[in-house]
Amino acid sequence: MSEQPPCPKCRSPYVYVDRGLLVCPECAHEWSSNAEAVPQQTDPDITDANGNSLADGDTVTVIKDLKVKGSSLVVKVGTKVKNIRLVDSDHDIDCKIDGIGAMKLKSEFVKKI
């Protein structure tokens, strides 16, 4: 049995061949076996409230009071968030905020410093 390349979409190792196509059972992605194995990864174009492009490791400030779901805590206006990490989901930013902990933020509520 030959070893199949991992899925280019979700990197799952559980890939199988079906009618000449490689298929990932975890994300249902199908691709040709002669196609490029791993597509070029592109960073998502995420911008802050002012339209400035954000990148991993940037420092941002919060521009609106944000209530923390499931808690009585509030992230106040002007809170500085260091070393952000961009993700591809409905909340664009993963970060840690002092006194609160790990959080996910939407880029529309922050501005780059």
Side-chain angles (χ1 to χ4, degrees):
M1 181 172 184
S2 65
E3 187 68 28
Q4 303 298 337
C7 175
K9 191 170 183 182
C10 70
R11 310 298 290 157
S12 171
Y14 306 111
V15 174
Y16 64 91
V17 178
D18 184 29
R19 298 183 197 151
L21 292 176
L22 296 171
V23 181
C24 176
E26 292 185 0
C27 70
H29 181 67
E30 297 179 354
W31 70 99
S32 174
S33 60
N34 61 2
E36 182 179 315
V38 179
Q40 294 293 331
Q41 297 283 336
T42 58
D43 292 332
D45 187 29
I46 298 175
T47 57
D48 67 358
N50 296 332
N52 298 322
S53 182
L54 295 174
D56 286 347
D58 281 348
T59 301
V60 296
T61 58
V62 178
I63 61 168
K64 178 182 175 182
D65 282 346
L66 302 172
K67 294 180 182 177
V68 178
K69 240 182 187 178
S71 172
S72 62
L73 298 173
V74 176
V75 179
K76 297 285 188 177
V77 171
T79 301
K80 188 182 285 189
V81 181
K82 298 178 183 177
N83 199 17
I84 65 170
R85 187 169 59 98
L86 301 179
V87 294
D88 190 26
S89 67
D90 59 339
H91 288 72
D92 305 323
I93 300 171
D94 276 346
C95 62
K96 287 186 180 178
I97 298 177
D98 293 336
I100 296 176
M103 289 202 60
K104 295 182 180 239
L105 298 173
K106 290 189 175 185
S107 60
E108 62 195 64
F109 298 121
V110 298
K111 70 176 182 177
K112 188 174 181 178
I113 295 181

